[in-house]
Amino acid sequence: MRVEVLQTAGRAAASAARLVARALEREPSLVLGLPTGRTAIPFYEALVALYRRGVVDFRRATTFNLDELAGVKDDDPRSYHAYMRRHLFDHVNLNPRRTHLPDGAAGDWTREVARYERHLSEAGGLGLAVIGIGRNGHIGFNEPSARLEARTHYVKLQPASRRANAYLARGDWREVPTHAVSMGIGTILQARTVVLLATGASKASIVARALEGPITTRVPASLIQAHPAAIAILDREAAGRLSAARRRGAT
Ligand code: PGA
């Protein structure tokens, strides 16, 4: 796995945005897997800045978000639909017919997860997935567990994940839904390229476990060690507990 360590969170976000821009230049109809979360906000700011400078064109791209909270409508400010409009969709030339998120108000989850997985496979699967990592090691909402789901599924959130999303509900984690729809670990890892973006000291310990610890379903992000084309883009703080060679960006 390639590990890039940048001085600051802003530089890490900008590096991930440039990587996406280069991939879209090579392949304008790329299918992107996209994250939400606080880490991704500067990444989207950097992407929007590149778009405004004419460096990136989304016209032919397709996007699939990794997940959505369950029990919220698209226009609910807590929804990932709202997050994506706020941080990306309202600012770039993505075709709204080619931006996809699970429907958080679906109700019939069996049908919804099948629909999402079908749309993904009709689009040819993910070309490039940009993912974050939860402090509990989740990717998407594949929460630490004795077993993981391969495909898109309905999932109960761990308290840590609800707390991490409190920023969407004016700081009140009890207002964060208890369940979500998430791509499965297999769906994410089938992306041709996986880019993990992590910043800040609060991620240092889980980043070290994910990138250098044993591959285990208890740290779902550790499975990216087995991906043939995974890149981790970190700031110095998030890389703080990696082995010295990795911290220097030597691998
Ligand atoms: P965060 O979320 O950027 O808000 O920490 C990342 C994630 O849970 O994937």
Side-chain angles (χ1 to χ4, degrees):
M1 182 184 343
R2 195 170 99 214
V3 180
E4 263 184 40
V5 182
L6 286 298
Q7 285 295 322
T8 64
R11 286 190 189 173
S15 178
R18 282 195 304 273
L19 190 150
V20 169
R22 284 196 301 273
L24 278 168
E25 195 175 0
R26 276 195 305 274
E27 192 180 339
S29 58
L30 189 62
V31 180
L32 291 167
L34 293 179
T36 49
R38 279 168 300 185
T39 311
I41 294 173
F43 159 70
Y44 290 125
E45 279 168 7
L47 259 188
V48 170
L50 290 176
Y51 171 74
R52 290 191 174 136
R53 282 171 38 209
V55 178
V56 61
D57 182 4
F58 294 93
R59 194 166 39 93
R60 292 174 54 199
T62 298
T63 68
F64 284 89
N65 269 77
L66 301 176
D67 42 25
E68 174 60 287
L69 299 168
V72 293
K73 297 212 176 88
D74 293 6
D75 58 1
D76 187 310
R78 293 168 300 171
S79 73
Y80 290 176
H81 278 81
Y83 172 110
M84 290 307 295
R85 280 195 301 275
R86 193 155 59 235
H87 297 295
L88 185 69
F89 297 165
D90 284 353
H91 311 290
V92 301
N93 65 339
L94 274 162
N95 181 336
R97 285 200 306 278
R98 284 199 291 271
T99 61
H100 307 271
L101 291 97
D103 177 4
D108 183 343
W109 304 112
T110 309
R111 215 166 124 177
E112 176 55 14
V113 301
R115 181 194 72 85
Y116 203 60
E117 199 63 44
R118 190 174 63 250
H119 284 186
L120 257 162
S121 70
E122 281 166 8
L126 299 175
L128 171 64
V130 180
I131 65 176
I133 178 171
R135 282 168 67 178
N136 66 359
H138 74 200
I139 54 178
F141 274 127
N142 294 279
E143 300 282 43
S145 170
R147 58 184 294 279
L148 294 171
E149 296 278 342
R151 297 291 162 216
T152 301
H153 57 288
Y154 181 67
V155 58
K156 182 169 167 36
L157 299 182
Q158 294 191 352
S161 296
R162 291 179 70 202
R163 287 204 179 85
N165 277 273
Y167 74 102
L168 294 169
R170 294 187 301 274
D172 185 355
W173 69 273
R174 286 161 307 192
E175 291 296 315
V176 176
T178 54
H179 290 74
V181 174
S182 176
M183 279 186 199
I185 203 89
T187 315
I188 296 171
L189 293 180
Q190 267 178 335
R192 294 200 304 277
T193 308
V194 175
V195 177
L196 173 77
L197 175 63
T199 58
S202 69
K203 297 285 173 70
S205 148
I206 196 66
V207 162
R209 287 174 66 199
L211 303 193
E212 295 183 339
I215 295 179
T216 164
T217 61
R218 302 286 179 188
V219 183
S222 66
L223 273 81
I224 77 165
Q225 291 180 42
H227 192 281
I231 304 166
I233 302 183
L234 312 171
D235 69 350
R236 256 195 351 183
E237 288 185 347
R241 296 218 188 164
L242 291 179
S243 63
R246 277 264 166 81
R247 267 204 316 274
R248 285 196 306 271
T251 51

